[in-house]
Amino acid sequence: MTSRPAPDPVFAFELNGETVTVSAPAHHTLLELLRYRQGLTGTKQGCDKGDCGACTVLLDGSPVLSCLTLAVTVAGRAVTTIEGLGAEHRRAEGRPHPVQEAFDRSGALQCGFCQPGMLLSSAALLRKNPSPTADEVRAALSGNLCRCTGYAQIIEAVLRAAAVERGEDPPAPAWSIEPRDEEP
Amino acid sequence: MLRMPRFEVSCPESLPEALALLAESELDTRVMAGGTDLLVALKNRLEVPQRVVSLARVGGLDHVTEQEGSLAIGARVTLAQLGASDLVRRLAPALGEAARSVASPQVRQVATIGGNALLSTRCRYYNQSHFWRKALGFCLKKDGTLCHVVEGGKKCVAAASGDTAPALLTLGARVTLESQHGVRALPLLDLYRNDGIANTVLRPDELLTELVVPAQRPGHRGAYEKLRVREAIDYPLLGVAVRLDVDPDSAVVTDVDVVLTALQAKPRRVARIDSLIVGVPIHGEAFEAAAAQLGLRARDQCHPVANVPGDPEYRRKLVPVLVRRALLRAAGAA
């Protein structure tokens, strides 16, 4: 006996600052909804089972894994993806988010696949703790795997973003052999 | 992409409504709190329910409260909340350490204490995709009749893999299980069975609603040590929780409890250890020697098998190391 599947649930949630009403099958994840229904491919699909952190998004401001979140459970809540992180800041302050600028400045990426998740975890950390230590940065990013950089530049970038936001000089790059000219 | 099988989702708004849904037996149902464990099981076809009942909107399950030194913890309290709770840090330090050691910040943000306490057992031959398991002819725990860990084995030896359970066991925690038929409270140790396939006595119509950590003695100390490949994300290859009660005046050990996990289906309490350490002052060489002896006794009671990643002999050799570390840290000596 097979009955007709129930119609897809329809629900509303806040996506990058705007209320959207969507329909998604009950068995779809937030990651599937974002990438394949909303077309927001900035959120990456990595391991798809909670190990890698590439699919990290902010749910009510806190980093969560969209591959392990059922889409229907975000009804009425606020989701920020990498598309929203930069856009919100650019609208408000006319420039990318400080962690985005810092990742660029510090060369904190190679292939870039982990970067959306890294940026969102970093942004959430700095919102909660504007003056993190390097160990606090490591702990906050411990759920985001990067297979290229070796993490040194990523941690430096987050410390740089924090320093810039506090109006201080950014820390010297940990990996540089020769002292180098600072940017003007 | 690991797609999930089709199922329907119910989001009850209250505990009675949730219990009513669980009491209906027509649909094969699974309960979801944080979902970080269930969704992976669904993706791997380890669970194929017709309905998932989400506890996301059920109120009254997210309290951490103290009453005369006793802690009441709602089952839907997240591991992030538990790890950051000052009450937990003060009254049950081992539990806080265990909660902070689970998985990653993103997972702890949504994963709950109830879910972690009820975590299914894990095995390198079970926690794999359907494709992977099918290629090996499946296993005892799911879809097959063979055990790939113990040749000819007829009993599933998948390992208890929750970090919080051993800590809660050293603290003498009790759990509250509710159904439409009533409420039962039992010691956490009695929740678990030493069966890799059905590792708890929770009935399908029951919900774990609360955990209670009784008041500890003055001078209570605790610690949790975890062996894993990476310092984040991984499940334990071995977990060691200790409780050390120390006389506040004389600084002498008055009681001790050590519980190990990730060895067999049920967390394991190390037996016959009181005589090794009770009466020993926590500062000094005698304590270090006692901690080392206690570690060796724990090792002699452990026989790891190749159920979780990591060489079983290596995991066995690490038992005395982790037990000693946990005791020294609990005592404040390391």
Side-chain angles (χ1 to χ4, degrees):
Chain A
M1 177 213 84
T2 52
S3 56
R4 263 158 52 105
D8 291 346
V10 176
F11 57 95
F13 69 106
E14 193 187 307
L15 177 57
N16 295 330
E18 287 176 25
T19 301
V20 294
T21 302
V22 297
S23 84
H27 64 291
H28 275 202
T29 61
L30 177 59
L31 177 64
E32 286 172 285
L33 174 69
L34 292 172
R35 286 183 63 87
Y36 306 122
R37 298 268 166 143
Q38 300 302 113
L40 297 179
T41 53
T43 305
K44 299 304 178 208
Q45 180 210 316
C47 69
D48 210 16
K49 56 191 180 68
D51 283 346
C52 75
C55 69
T56 301
V57 299
L58 302 184
L59 184 59
D60 295 332
S62 296
V64 301
L65 300 175
S66 60
C67 79
L68 295 187
T69 305
L70 272 191
V72 293
T73 60
V74 305
R77 306 183 69 180
V79 174
T80 304
T81 68
I82 190 63
E83 288 89 349
L85 184 76
E88 279 171 21
H89 231 264
R90 202 170 284 116
R91 268 197 303 273
E93 301 190 22
R95 62 188 181 111
H97 192 281
V99 291
Q100 290 177 309
E101 284 190 327
F103 269 59
D104 179 25
R105 182 63 75 180
S106 296
L109 78 155
Q110 286 179 30
C111 85
F113 194 84
C114 71
Q115 206 186 9
M118 288 281 182
L119 289 167
L120 288 162
S121 287
S122 306
L125 167 71
L126 295 187
R127 194 171 304 159
K128 245 178 27 185
N129 178 2
S131 305
T133 63
D135 276 345
E136 286 169 337
V137 174
R138 286 190 192 96
L141 296 182
S142 60
N144 294 83
L145 298 185
C146 171
R147 303 288 77 164
C148 305
T149 63
Y151 302 99
Q153 294 94 324
I154 292 175
I155 291 152
E156 181 202 314
V158 181
L159 294 173
R160 167 186 284 272
V164 168
E165 282 301 280
R166 293 194 307 266
E168 296 168 12
D169 289 337
W175 47 274
S176 169
I177 297 167
E178 299 290 328
R180 55 173 199 179
D181 295 331
E182 262 310 325
E183 63 272 19
Chain B
M1 166 154 266
L2 297 166
R3 289 197 183 279
M4 286 186 281
R6 189 173 274 277
F7 51 81
E8 59 180 80
V9 178
S10 302
C11 300
E13 308 270 345
S14 69
L15 186 58
E17 207 183 312
L19 296 178
L21 284 167
L22 295 185
E24 298 169 4
S25 52
E26 305 91 71
L27 293 180
D28 187 22
T29 298
R30 294 292 179 280
V31 174
M32 180 177 84
T36 51
D37 196 46
L38 180 68
L39 261 57
V40 181
L42 293 167
K43 289 179 180 201
N44 286 339
R45 302 299 191 273
L46 298 172
E47 304 276 2
V48 193
Q50 294 162 296
R51 179 172 64 189
V52 168
V53 172
S54 164
L55 301 182
R57 290 184 210 154
V58 175
L61 299 177
D62 48 10
H63 54 279
V64 181
T65 50
E66 182 204 346
Q67 197 172 17
E68 292 169 10
S70 162
L71 266 179
I73 303 168
R76 226 192 50 204
V77 169
T78 66
L79 297 175
Q81 287 172 308
L82 209 56
S85 160
D86 286 334
L87 272 180
V88 173
R89 212 179 283 265
R90 186 160 53 82
L91 299 173
L95 177 59
E97 284 187 5
R100 289 190 292 277
S101 80
V102 175
S104 63
Q106 294 98 314
V107 169
R108 292 194 295 274
Q109 190 65 37
V110 295
T112 63
I113 181 65
N116 197 250
L118 291 171
L119 191 73
S120 182
T121 55
R122 296 180 61 86
C123 177
R124 65 210 299 188
Y125 298 98
Y126 170 74
N127 296 96
Q128 301 286 354
S129 68
H130 185 267
F131 175 82
W132 193 103
R133 292 184 294 116
K134 187 180 174 190
L136 210 64
F138 298 112
C139 79
L140 268 184
K141 186 161 159 77
K142 178 73 181 155
D143 301 327
T145 54
L146 280 175
C147 181
H148 303 288
V149 176
V150 180
E151 207 180 314
K154 294 289 169 223
K155 191 181 171 203
C156 175
V157 293
S161 298
D163 291 298
T164 55
L168 286 163
L169 288 169
T170 61
L171 294 159
R174 298 175 68 81
V175 289
T176 307
L177 310 180
E178 292 191 45
S179 73
Q180 279 201 323
H181 300 295
V183 179
R184 55 176 179 150
L186 58 162
L188 181 63
L189 192 64
D190 295 346
L191 176 69
Y192 297 118
R193 307 174 64 225
N194 199 14
D195 176 348
I197 295 173
N199 67 318
T200 72
V201 300
L202 187 82
R203 297 194 312 258
D205 68 331
E206 278 181 320
L207 266 185
L208 193 169
T209 52
E210 191 180 62
L211 299 101
V212 175
V213 176
Q216 304 296 308
R217 299 187 201 177
H220 163 79
R221 292 140 190 260
Y224 180 69
E225 283 283 334
K226 176 173 178 175
L227 175 67
R228 49 181 161 177
V229 178
R230 302 170 290 195
E231 276 300 295
I233 304 169
D234 293 336
Y235 285 92
L237 308 184
L238 173 68
V240 177
V242 304
R243 172 174 57 79
L244 206 56
D245 291 343
V246 179
D247 185 280
D249 299 322
S250 62
V252 160
V253 177
T254 56
D255 196 19
V256 66
D257 193 13
V258 179
V259 176
L260 311 179
T261 199
L263 294 166
Q264 53 181 33
K266 185 173 178 169
R268 186 188 182 104
R269 172 163 283 138
V270 182
R272 301 186 306 281
I273 50 176
D274 287 12
S275 60
L276 295 177
I277 204 163
V278 169
V280 175
I282 56 165
H283 305 296
E285 284 173 19
F287 184 82
E288 286 182 33
Q293 281 299 317
L294 206 158
L296 295 176
R297 181 149 301 174
R299 183 199 60 192
D300 292 344
Q301 296 174 24
C302 293
H303 307 281
V305 291
N307 48 6
V308 298
D311 178 61
E313 192 50 35
Y314 170 67
R315 286 160 57 216
R316 184 159 189 264
K317 282 187 172 167
L318 266 286
V319 170
V321 177
L322 263 61
V323 168
R324 185 170 50 83
R325 271 187 208 160
L327 285 167
L328 291 179
R329 225 156 39 71

